[in-house]
Amino acid sequence: MKGMKSKFLAKTKFMAKLLCVCLAALSAFSVAACAKDGADGDNGKTPANAPAKVSVTSPDGAPALALVQMIEEGDETVEFNIVNANTITTYVTNTDETKNSDFCVLPVNAAAKLLGGGEKYQMLGTVTHGNLFIVSKSAETQFTDKQGLETLIGKTVGVIQIANVPGMVFKMILNQYKIDFNVLSDGNGVATDKINLQGITDPTLVTSTNKNVDAFVIAEPLVSLRTNAAQNKLYLSGSLQQLYGGEEGYPQAVIVAKKSFTAKYPEWTENFIAKLGNAETYLKTAEASTIITALSSKLTEGETPAFNAKNLSAETVKNCNVKFVAAQAEKEAVRAVLTGMMGANAPQTSDEFFYTPGDVAAA
């Protein structure tokens, strides 16, 4: 009896151990399967190698529209910041790298000038392709080709931010059509054989009652506000995007990413790029109130939002020309527009500046 009891106890211990081994194996298999699902990114799951926190910064206005869907969907991992356009470069140039944004939307010229070597940041792609238009005091006036632009010779065009992208793009287009222009600064008088350009710093001067200016070059959303005003109405008379080269426009705002981030989190970066790629489609049906709320919720405290109920409509969004195009596809277009805007002073962009998914993932 004693021997039988010992055998029974031994057999029981063996079965218990076997059960534990089976359960452990099943648990390990389940964990591995879950990890694989996460790594594959199926059904919108977070990649297995995901960052704890990500910072994404954009200037307020047209470029920020590219982020609306992601802001609206919400992601506790991502901290979105919509800031004053005049401060945007400080988010990629801080000497303390931890204070620089992981992803940042910048004007193409600023991105190339500050980061064009590709040492610290790379351009993921273009997010907007021009939101600049010519508005005039007459509904019949149209500036859609060289002949139309030549009617401005001897007249004065007010240009918002003449020293920055709006002014550089308009000058580039005039050079493209071989039309001479005269910048009214440093005591220059009005020329009768050139288009005269007057810098405008105060948007309130963009009005039909401004007798010193015959037409204006301005950007959305100011275009929508001034062309829809009940009084002193101006008229949309030309698109700098179409004058430059048709429906595609030109690279205007780009998004850059820290190389250290994309190298460490290549899959997360690719998922982020895919979401940017859907921005154009999302915005076609997004409600104005949704857009305004999303951007305002991430705007720096104390700043006045660029978009509001008076200046945002489906047409405004369309005119902001939001469309993500990957860096490698935009490389030559970026270089061409930089040369067009800045000539011999254009910053040089290395091949390393333009993000390539395969290269970064293997880095």
Side-chain angles (χ1 to χ4, degrees):
M1 290 293 292
K2 185 176 181 181
M4 291 178 64
K5 185 176 181 180
S6 297
K7 288 181 180 180
F8 176 75
L9 290 173
K11 186 175 181 181
T12 301
K13 290 179 179 179
F14 172 77
M15 292 301 292
K17 287 181 180 180
L18 181 62
L19 180 61
C20 288
V21 170
C22 290
L23 288 173
L26 180 61
S27 176
F29 176 79
S30 299
V31 170
C34 290
K36 183 179 186 300
D37 284 343
D40 289 344
D42 292 339
N43 300 319
K45 294 179 181 178
T46 303
N49 179 30
K53 283 293 179 183
V54 184
S55 55
V56 181
T57 308
S58 171
D60 197 12
L65 291 174
L67 304 178
V68 171
Q69 182 179 9
M70 286 187 278
I71 294 173
E72 181 64 17
E73 289 176 349
D75 185 338
E76 293 182 358
T77 301
V78 186
E79 178 185 355
F80 291 98
N81 300 291
I82 309 300
V83 303
N84 187 304
N86 294 328
T87 67
I88 191 61
T89 59
T90 64
Y91 293 87
V92 294
T93 56
N94 204 297
T95 53
D96 182 352
E97 283 296 324
T98 63
K99 294 182 179 179
N100 288 328
S101 190
D102 296 315
F103 296 84
C104 191
V105 180
L106 294 162
V108 64
N109 58 316
K113 180 180 178 180
L114 297 172
L115 311 169
E119 291 89 358
K120 295 182 178 180
Y121 281 87
Q122 288 181 305
M123 172 185 147
L124 300 183
T126 309
V127 293
T128 67
H129 292 77
N131 65 328
L132 300 170
F133 296 85
I134 306 174
V135 296
S136 69
K137 301 175 183 179
S138 170
E140 288 72 38
T141 302
Q142 292 295 309
F143 309 110
T144 57
D145 53 23
K146 180 177 181 179
Q147 185 176 0
L149 288 172
E150 286 178 335
T151 64
L152 288 169
I153 292 175
K155 297 180 180 179
T156 299
V157 178
V159 183
I160 286 283
Q161 297 184 41
I162 194 169
N164 297 316
V165 170
M168 288 191 288
V169 170
F170 190 47
K171 293 173 186 177
M172 172 178 65
I173 288 170
L174 294 179
N175 285 328
Q176 178 180 315
Y177 288 103
K178 296 181 171 56
I179 299 174
D180 291 334
F181 58 86
N182 172 48
V183 179
L184 298 177
S185 61
D186 301 324
N188 290 348
V190 175
T192 58
D193 59 345
K194 301 176 183 179
I195 296 178
N196 299 282
L197 307 182
Q198 175 67 63
I200 301 288
T201 57
D202 184 356
T204 63
L205 297 177
V206 180
T207 173
S208 61
T209 59
N210 188 331
K211 297 181 180 180
N212 297 318
V213 177
D214 301 287
F216 299 88
V217 170
I218 56 176
E220 285 286 17
L222 185 58
V223 174
S224 292
L225 186 62
R226 290 295 182 262
T227 55
N228 289 327
Q231 298 178 347
N232 301 327
K233 185 175 181 179
L234 293 166
Y235 298 88
L236 185 58
S237 301
S239 162
L240 267 60
Q241 292 67 243
Q242 292 183 350
L243 285 166
Y244 178 76
E247 295 296 327
E248 296 302 317
Y250 46 86
Q252 183 169 350
V254 303
I255 186 163
V256 299
K258 282 182 178 178
K259 285 183 67 176
S260 57
F261 184 99
T262 58
K264 187 173 183 179
Y265 305 110
E267 185 183 353
W268 197 98
T269 301
E270 286 305 303
N271 289 344
F272 181 76
I273 289 173
K275 292 177 182 179
L276 285 172
N278 194 56
E280 180 184 15
T281 300
Y282 171 82
L283 290 168
K284 288 179 179 178
T285 57
E287 295 289 338
S289 58
T290 299
I291 295 172
I292 293 168
T293 300
L295 296 181
S296 297
S297 70
K298 304 300 179 182
L299 185 64
T300 302
E301 187 176 355
E303 292 290 334
T304 301
F307 295 112
N308 55 57
K310 293 182 179 180
N311 66 14
L312 186 63
S313 66
E315 188 65 20
T316 308
V317 174
K318 180 182 178 182
N319 287 345
C320 286
N321 217 355
V322 175
K323 180 181 180 181
F324 180 81
V325 179
Q328 289 300 319
E330 284 282 74
K331 182 188 296 186
E332 297 311 317
V334 164
R335 288 171 171 166
V337 81
L338 289 171
T339 300
M341 289 194 300
M342 305 171 75
N345 296 320
Q348 299 301 305
T349 52
S350 70
D351 287 341
E352 185 66 18
F353 174 63
F354 300 94
Y355 171 81
T356 303
D359 291 349
V360 173

